[in-house]
Amino acid sequence: MTGYTLEVCVDSLESAMAAVNGGATRLELCANLVIGGTTPSVFLLREIRKRSDIPINAIIRPRFGDFCYSPAELNIMVGEIECFRHERANGVVIGALTPDGGLDEQAMRAMIGAAGGLSVTLHRAFDMCRDPFAALRAAKALGVATVLTSGGRNTALDGAPLLKELGALGLVDIMAGGGVNAEVITKLRPLTGLTSYHMSGKAVVDSPMRHRNPHVSMGLPSLSEYQLWRTDEQRVRAARSALDALA
């Protein structure tokens, strides 16, 4: 698959190995994928490393919600980046915005400094920016290598027109994410010209728990605690096959 990237977002060892076995070229490691992903444990990275040498980028996100962070949250994020740098992660996936919707260049500069030469991806905070082109230019100036984006829409397919414009500028690697699968990749490539794709390939797996208390909820009431989100190896393999066919 020369010239293409297939990054798979995972939040468990099981999902990571499914992605590896399916043909992913890189992992985005997170926790709590069900709420969009938060900072993972370094111990999860270590467990994956025991089984695979696939490049791993760690998302740095201290909480669910928007990307406007307090000074204390930024300090936590900087510390977490330093931890993943010491663990020799391939890169970090970061993003911070100002209250008026611009890229928070001061916060980004602090995090990039902590990364100490690791590859830096700007995550889909980019899609919440007021002006994507201004944000892209700022990201380039800061030294960001990759921008993960759905083109400012809920799915990359819907955002294809902006993805094409962003990619044509050639400033950084534009990685399409948001509803990506084998079929979407086949459609997006001719529409956008992009060569980097991000997916979760998730499937809902029933928990092995037999005893279930219907009167207590430990999390979001809208989500079943007895359903697990896991990366499906076959979905990753199908996406890899789609990229191999394009290559």
Side-chain angles (χ1 to χ4, degrees), residues 35-111:
I35 55 171
T38 56
T39 306
S41 165
V42 295
F43 294 97
L44 176 55
L45 184 147
R46 291 177 186 173
E47 286 299 315
I48 298 168
R49 280 274 175 76
K50 292 176 183 177
R51 298 161 174 83
S52 174
D53 60 358
I54 190 171
I56 299 173
N57 291 353
I59 192 170
I60 307 297
R61 186 182 179 212
R63 57 166 171 79
F64 168 77
D66 64 29
F67 305 103
C68 187
Y69 296 115
S70 70
E73 287 174 322
L74 178 59
N75 286 340
I76 291 168
M77 294 163 77
V78 166
E80 288 170 334
I81 290 169
E82 291 171 349
C83 286
F84 281 102
R85 187 185 76 229
H86 293 315
E87 289 291 327
R88 298 180 182 176
N90 178 74
V92 290
V93 184
I94 60 175
L97 303 181
T98 62
D100 64 355
L103 193 65
D104 189 335
E105 296 182 44
Q106 183 175 353
M108 290 289 293
R109 195 170 289 112
M111 289 189 281

Side-chain angles (χ1 to χ4, degrees), residues 124 150 154-157 177-182 184-185 198-199 202:
R124 289 185 63 198
S150 60
N154 279 329
T155 70
L157 200 55
V180 169
N181 56 30
V184 168
I185 288 171
H198 172 99
M199 67 182 296
K202 61 181 178 291

Side-chain angles (χ1 to χ4, degrees), residues 157 160-161 163-165 184-194:
L157 200 55
L163 290 174
K164 180 180 180 179
E165 288 187 73
V184 168
I185 288 171
T186 302
K187 293 177 179 178
L188 273 179
R189 170 61 179 159
L191 287 174
T192 65
L194 299 183

Side-chain angles (χ1 to χ4, degrees), residues 103-131:
L103 193 65
D104 189 335
E105 296 182 44
Q106 183 175 353
M108 290 289 293
R109 195 170 289 112
M111 289 189 281
I112 291 170
L118 296 183
S119 176
V120 174
T121 297
L122 170 58
H123 58 46
R124 289 185 63 198
F126 179 85
D127 288 317
M128 308 304 288
C129 287
R130 182 183 65 254
D131 182 341

